[in-house]
Structures are given as structure tokens and as C-alpha cells.
């Protein structure tokens, strides 16, 4: 049973619910479950919610009195009826990544820091699905949790002024994908031919909070083929 989070009004119509301040799988599940709960409770007064690493912020149409004791009771009942964690992460998105040296700008730095070989880094990076903890920094930028500790590498001391769109990087204990060209300080180890953000799509962002991402390695030839097919 997940404890009820702390509650605070941050504006006239904005409620912030906060769990224990850490980035973890437990909080990932708690935030996504609570996000569904809040949508159910405030469905007639909801504009949107913004899930974070350990918070859910609810933007309401109007301010209403909040009975915390009643909310806590309903939260407990919701959890008792909610016994399938798989429904929190119902969408697994497989994303191809080319780790060719043309795209892996910081592979040498990562190899030096981790004492791992190129092949080991690629194998570890593609070995497990990652949870999309939140979308931020840039439109469609996924902060992916669950990076193997062996690949925890500090960000660049001096960020690059320009990183190509669809570059895959690792920074600290996270991995992510730059959806558009931008400055950035993550260690770039590859690139995907997929577009993470496209305003011409019905849903511009490829990934959503709560999704899972499974990377798989492709050759440069496969990268170019997918790129050409998507033009």
C-alpha cells in the first residue's frame, strides 16, 4: 500500500502532490498510479496533470474545498481495486539506435570512465527496458530511469552548443533522447532514426510519461534505410 502524498496548493487552481523525494521504480509506479487516481477524482474539474519524478501536479478549472481525510480514504480504496502494475506501463516502445562512431560522440569518454569496451556499453545500454519518468527540458525529451549503474557517467563539464536531433545520451544515472537540435551536456553514445517530436503528427511526442522504452542496436546501413523510408 502506497502512502498518501503531501498536498500543497501552489496557485489558486493548482494542486501539487509529492511523494518521497527520490528517483526510483517505486516512485515511478506510485506517481503513475496516483495520476490515474487524481484524474478519476477530479474528472469534472480537471484541465490536466503533470507527473514528475515524485510529484503529480493537477491543474483545475476552479478551486474547490479539498477534504484530505476523504481523499486519503478514496486513495486506499483505489489501491485495493488497482492490483495490476502492468496497466501502468501498458505501452512498450522499441527504439532502434545506431551506435556508430559517427553518432557516438562521447563513446570514448564513456569507455574511459567506465572501463568498459564499446561492445559492452552497447550491450548493457540495450539490455533492459527503461521507464519514461517524465517529459521535459525540450518538447518530447524523455527522462528514462533504470540505467545500469555501470553506465552512470557524469555529464560534460562544458555542454555542447549543438546536439543533433534524435541523439541518444547518458547523463548521471539516466539515459535520454534529444528530440530536437539543441545545446546539451549529456554523453552522446548513438542516434535513433526515429523522430521523438513532430508537430505534424496527431500526437507530436513519440513517448509519454509511464511508457517503457526498449533500445535495440542497428547498423549505419539500417539507420540510413529507416531514415529514407520516413522521408
Amino acid at each position: 500500500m502506497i502512502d498518501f502524498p503531501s498536498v500543497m496548493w501552489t496557485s489558486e487552481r493548482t494542486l501539487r502532490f509529492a511523494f518521497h523525494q527520490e528517483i526510483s521504480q517505486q516512485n515511478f509506479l506510485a506517481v503513475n498510479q496516483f495520476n490515474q487516481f487524481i484524474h478519476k477524482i477530479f474528472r469534472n474539474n480537471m484541465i490536466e496533470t503533470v507527473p514528475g519524478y515524485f510529484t503529480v501536479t493537477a491543474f483545475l478549472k476552479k478551486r474547490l474545498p479539498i477534504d484530505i481525510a476523504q481523499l486519503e480514504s478514496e486513495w486506499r480504496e483505489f489501491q485495493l481495486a488497482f492490483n495490476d502494475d502492468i496497466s501502468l506501463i501498458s505501452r512498450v516502445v522499441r527504439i532502434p539506435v545506431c551506435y556508430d562512431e559517427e553518432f557516438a560522440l562521447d563513446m570514448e569518454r564513456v569507455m574511459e570512465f567506465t572501463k568498459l569496451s564499446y561492445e559492452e556499453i552497447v550491450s548493457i545500454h540495450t539490455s533492459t527496458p527503461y521507464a519514461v519518468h517524465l517529459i521535459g527540458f525540450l518538447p518530447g525529451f524523455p527522462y528514462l530511469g533504470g540505467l545500469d549503474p555501470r553506465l552512470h557517467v557524469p555529464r560534460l563539464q562544458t555542454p555542447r552548443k549543438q546536439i543533433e536531433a534524435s541523439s541518444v545520451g547518458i547523463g548521471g544515472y539516466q539515459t535520454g533522447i534529444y528530440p530536437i537540435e539543441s545545446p546539451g551536456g549529456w554523453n552522446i553514445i548513438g542516434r535513433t532514426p526515429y523522430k521523438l517530436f513532430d508537430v505534424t503528427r496527431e500526437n507530436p511526442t513519440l513517448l509519454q510519461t509511464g511508457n517503457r522504452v526498449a533500445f535495440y542496436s542497428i547498423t549505419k546501413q539500417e539507420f540510413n534505410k529507416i531514415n529514407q523510408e520516413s522521408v
Side-chain angles (χ1 to χ4, degrees), residues 140-156:
F141 186 105
Y143 285 86
L144 306 178
L147 181 66
D148 190 294
R150 289 173 292 176
L151 296 184
H152 289 186
V153 180
R155 301 183 187 189
L156 305 179

Side-chain angles (χ1 to χ4, degrees), residues 49-63:
T49 60
V50 178
Y53 281 125
F54 50 84
T55 62
V56 177
T57 303
F59 296 88
L60 307 177
K61 296 176 183 177
K62 59 182 179 180
R63 182 161 183 157

Side-chain angles (χ1 to χ4, degrees), residues 1-31:
M1 186 73 68
I2 303 169
D3 290 339
F4 191 78
S6 62
V7 187
M8 180 176 66
W9 285 101
T10 59
S11 76
E12 179 63 26
R13 295 180 296 165
T14 306
L15 269 174
R16 182 177 184 268
F17 300 88
F19 292 94
H20 181 62
Q21 297 188 24
E22 66 177 9
I23 301 173
S24 65
Q25 178 68 9
Q26 181 179 357
N27 267 351
F28 169 70
L29 294 173
V31 163

